[in-house]
Structures are given as structure tokens and as C-alpha cells.
Amino acid sequence: MTDNKLPNYFHMYLSNETQFEMLSDTQAGMLVKALFAYANRGAEPDFDDLTLKLFFSLLKNNLDREFDNYSKLCEQNRRNANKRYASACDRIQEEKEKEEEKEDEEDKEKDTHSEKEADAAFCESVLSQFNGICERLPKVKRLTSRRAERIKQALPLLDGEGFVGLFKRAARSDFLCGGGKNEWKATFDWIMKPDNIARILEGSYDPTESPPTRSSYDIDELEEINRLEGY
């Protein structure tokens, strides 16, 4: 026998009947016992009987081939099982990675959604501040994408005063709140233009005894304001 992986049986073939018929019952019994001892423990008998030695040798070779084939079959089954296990592990790992990627995408979508909600809430609060502070100016009724973009662009221009400071400066300006000859009033969209933010924070529209000069106006609104003010 060449391997310790042995089946719990061994075969006797019909062709062996001829060999056993050549033996006496005593010899046949001894041969069968010897075969069991060899199959179970690998013990080889020490027969004095040459006939038994010959028949045992022939049957032993059959057992060795049978057990060797069984060992090879077990090894092949083991390799196949390992391949199936490895393949299953790969599939599990692949599914796990896909699931993790899906969760990451869902988290990103949630984060993006949360960021958008936070941005929208912030912009809505800016509109609310404007409506509450600039009571003499036209109210802002809704948040548009352009207004949201202007609010974001305005953040670095506020010089630490914040939107509240900007809106308070605009609210104090009689000119921006309709105190001119033609009662022109600044709108939220006009105030949020970068050049106008700068002029408001610089005090160009602060209350004075004389009206603002033409250089104080936003270039986009200059023609309209000139018409309203009669310049």
C-alpha cells in the first residue's frame, strides 16, 4: 500500500474463485485473514506455504492498485473541493466588494444630498435675513439657482461683516431704499452683485447730505438709475 488514505472495504473479484478453488478450506481461510490484516494494518503474513505466498502476492498487488487509485481519487476530490471553495470565496469576496462599493456610492449620494440640503438651508436663511432686515426693499419670494450661486460667491467678499452687516448697511441707505428722486429701490439681486457688495461695504451708499455720484452705481444698472434719477 502506498498511502494511508484507505477505503473501509476491498474488492474480491469473481475471477478470484478459480484461485480459491485450488486451495483447501484451511488455506482459503488463512489467505482471507491475511488479506484483511494487510488491508487494515499493512501487515504481511509469513507463510511457509508457497502456494499461499503466491496467491497472497497476486491478491496483494490487486489491493495495492485499488488502494492507490482510491488515494488518488481522494486527492483529486480534495483539490476539486479546494477549487470550489476558493471559487466560492472569490465570489463571496467579489459580492462583498460590490456591496461595499454600492454602500460607498449610497453614502456619497447621501452626503451630496445632505450637502445640497445644507446649502439650500443656508441660502434660505440669507433670504430670510434680507427680508427681515431690509424691510423697505422688495421682498425675495423664492430661492433660485442663480441666487444661490451669488450667495456662495459673496461669502469671501463680506470682509467679516457677514450678510447681516451687508444688509444692515443697505437698509440704512436712503438712496438704496427709494429715497432718490424717482424712488428707485435696490433689489436683492442687485445688492448681491460683487461690485455692489464692495461699494455698499465701503460706504458708497451710506446716508449723506448729497446724493451719490454716478461712479457709485453698478455698471449694469447705471443706465436705468440715471433715467430714474433724471441724470
Side-chain angles (χ1 to χ4, degrees), residues 96-221:
K96 182 179 179 181
E97 290 176 354
K98 288 181 179 179
E99 186 65 25
E100 290 176 349
E101 290 177 0
K102 182 179 178 181
E103 291 177 356
D104 289 342
E105 289 298 325
E106 291 176 350
D107 289 341
K108 289 179 181 178
E109 291 179 0
K110 290 179 181 178
D111 291 342
T112 301
H113 182 69
S114 298
E115 290 176 2
K116 289 181 178 179
E117 288 185 338
D119 288 345
F122 174 74
C123 291
E124 290 286 359
S125 70
V126 172
L127 298 187
S128 179
Q129 290 171 356
F130 172 82
N131 288 334
I133 296 172
C134 300
E135 296 179 346
R136 293 188 292 169
L137 298 181
K139 302 296 183 182
V140 182
K141 295 182 179 180
R142 64 189 183 93
L143 176 67
T144 64
S145 59
R146 183 171 180 80
R147 285 170 177 168
E149 186 63 27
R150 282 284 174 84
I151 290 172
K152 292 179 183 178
Q153 293 174 349
L155 287 171
L157 305 176
L158 298 177
D159 295 331
E161 294 196 31
F163 288 102
V164 172
L166 173 67
F167 297 150
K168 284 183 176 179
R169 295 288 289 268
R172 287 197 300 267
S173 172
D174 291 333
F175 176 75
L176 295 181
C177 293
K181 293 180 180 180
N182 293 290
E183 300 181 352
W184 173 85
K185 292 184 178 183
T187 63
F188 175 83
D189 297 326
W190 186 90
I191 290 173
M192 295 306 296
K193 292 181 179 181
D195 288 344
N196 295 340
I197 290 174
R199 293 189 182 104
I200 292 171
L201 295 179
E202 290 169 355
S204 297
Y205 300 103
D206 285 353
T208 58
E209 294 183 358
S210 59
T213 62
R214 293 178 61 176
S215 61
S216 298
Y217 302 128
D218 175 66
I219 190 171
D220 293 337
E221 300 287 340

Side-chain angles (χ1 to χ4, degrees), residues 34-136:
L35 291 172
F36 275 106
Y38 180 73
N40 280 323
R41 298 178 295 278
E44 296 192 25
D46 186 15
F47 289 132
D48 293 332
D49 190 325
L50 294 179
T51 301
L52 288 177
K53 284 185 176 183
L54 175 61
F55 285 175
F56 177 82
S57 177
L58 293 174
L59 295 175
K60 169 182 173 294
N61 290 336
N62 291 338
L63 290 179
D64 286 343
R65 285 194 298 272
E66 185 176 336
F67 290 168
D68 185 56
N69 290 337
Y70 178 83
S71 178
K72 290 178 180 178
L73 178 61
C74 290
E75 180 62 22
Q76 184 61 45
N77 289 339
R78 185 189 66 79
R79 288 197 295 267
N80 291 340
N82 288 340
K83 288 180 180 179
R84 289 194 296 271
Y85 176 76
S87 178
C89 289
D90 290 342
R91 287 196 299 272
I92 292 173
Q93 181 64 26
E94 183 178 351
E95 291 174 358
K96 182 179 179 181
E97 290 176 354
K98 288 181 179 179
E99 186 65 25
E100 290 176 349
E101 290 177 0
K102 182 179 178 181
E103 291 177 356
D104 289 342
E105 289 298 325
E106 291 176 350
D107 289 341
K108 289 179 181 178
E109 291 179 0
K110 290 179 181 178
D111 291 342
T112 301
H113 182 69
S114 298
E115 290 176 2
K116 289 181 178 179
E117 288 185 338
D119 288 345
F122 174 74
C123 291
E124 290 286 359
S125 70
V126 172
L127 298 187
S128 179
Q129 290 171 356
F130 172 82
N131 288 334
I133 296 172
C134 300
E135 296 179 346
R136 293 188 292 169

